[in-house]
Amino acid sequence: NKPSVVILAAAKVGGILANSSQPASFLLENIKIQTNVIETSWISGVKRLLFLGSSCIYPKFAEQPIKEEALMTGELEPTNEWYAISKIAGIKLCESLRIQHNFDAISLMPTNLYGPGDNYHPTNSHVMAALIRKFHEASSNSFPQVQCWGSGSPLREFMHVNDLGEAAIFALEHWDPSAGNAPLDKNGKPLAFLNAGTGKDISIKELSTKI
């Protein structure tokens, strides 16, 4: 098809249970997807490539709100480190191809997403879809209670998939890391990737109550 622009959104994803029980699958499948698509895009002369990563790339105890410079400054969250490591590899592959071969690859790190077409698997889904399924089933079957994992105190940021779609198009049309007005890190160097989110978080307990 000879595309001039490639947006790489494909990935093996899942919640806490899926990550902890399938560590090799999360590493192998995601690294294969990324390496094949990114390298082939470069070799084929694609003009721009946008790689979508994940906010889980950051250290577990990163300063809030999380800034791009926090990458690789501390230990990852153990429950999804395999997925995070694969995404970090994708970011670095894009960055290295830009440095060595001037390949125009950029990366966005979306926060937690929700919307149509989500995965509602009972054990392999992300928290928003998992909670929606639990409460829907409880309501449909008149269950007296719903069991939710954890304390409910962790804070998470959520964004609708349509908003990420708009952010991706905006970045492709307006963001050139080598431009004079490009976003810079705290050392004044152009950022190789940008966070994409709403800037607002909610506790899992509050989210459960809303659902």
Side-chain angles (χ1 to χ4, degrees):
N1 293 317
K2 299 186 183 303
S4 58
V5 175
V6 170
I7 300 175
L8 178 49
K12 177 179 175 60
V13 299
I16 293 174
L17 180 60
N19 271 269
S20 59
S21 61
Q22 305 171 46
S25 297
F26 273 83
L27 256 180
L28 281 170
E29 292 187 32
N30 283 306
I31 288 178
K32 287 177 182 178
I33 292 169
Q34 296 162 187
T35 303
N36 280 311
V37 175
I38 295 171
E39 183 180 21
T40 302
S41 296
W42 161 55
I43 293 172
S44 301
V46 168
K47 292 182 179 179
R48 293 212 91 184
L49 179 139
L50 172 60
F51 171 65
L52 294 176
S54 168
S55 57
C56 73
I57 62 170
Y58 293 111
K60 181 177 181 179
F61 299 110
E63 183 180 347
Q64 302 291 325
I66 301 175
K67 296 181 179 180
E68 288 83 356
E69 294 93 328
L71 181 66
M72 300 193 336
T73 59
E75 294 183 6
L76 297 168
E77 164 58 48
T79 56
N80 59 12
E81 66 175 326
W82 315 104
Y83 180 67
I85 289 171
S86 71
K87 287 298 180 180
I88 293 172
I91 298 170
K92 290 302 182 180
L93 178 55
C94 289
E95 185 180 359
S96 64
L97 283 170
R98 173 176 286 276
I99 293 171
Q100 185 174 342
H101 298 289
N102 201 31
F103 178 51
D104 191 5
I106 57 176
S107 302
L108 290 181
M109 298 303 111
T111 187
N112 298 281
L113 301 174
Y114 68 94
D118 208 341
N119 171 22
Y120 294 91
H121 190 276
T123 56
N124 294 337
S125 56
H126 287 111
V127 62
M128 177 81 80
L131 288 173
I132 289 174
R133 175 171 179 144
K134 282 188 176 186
F135 283 102
H136 173 70
E137 290 182 345
S139 176
S140 300
N141 295 284
S142 299
F143 293 158
Q145 63 184 19
V146 174
Q147 183 179 25
C148 300
W149 297 348
S151 64
S153 60
L155 298 173
R156 294 292 183 268
E157 182 179 329
F158 294 95
M159 182 168 64
H160 194 277
V161 290
N162 288 357
D163 294 325
L164 175 61
E166 291 185 11
I169 298 299
F170 185 88
L172 284 166
E173 293 180 341
H174 299 286
W175 176 36
D176 177 3
S178 60
N181 62 348
L184 306 175
D185 64 17
K186 61 183 179 181
N187 298 317
K189 296 182 179 180
L191 289 165
F193 63 95
L194 297 177
N195 291 334
T198 63
K200 300 177 182 178
D201 51 28
I202 184 175
S203 72
I204 299 301
K205 182 177 181 179
E206 186 179 354
L207 175 64
S208 303
T209 302
K210 283 181 176 291
I211 294 174

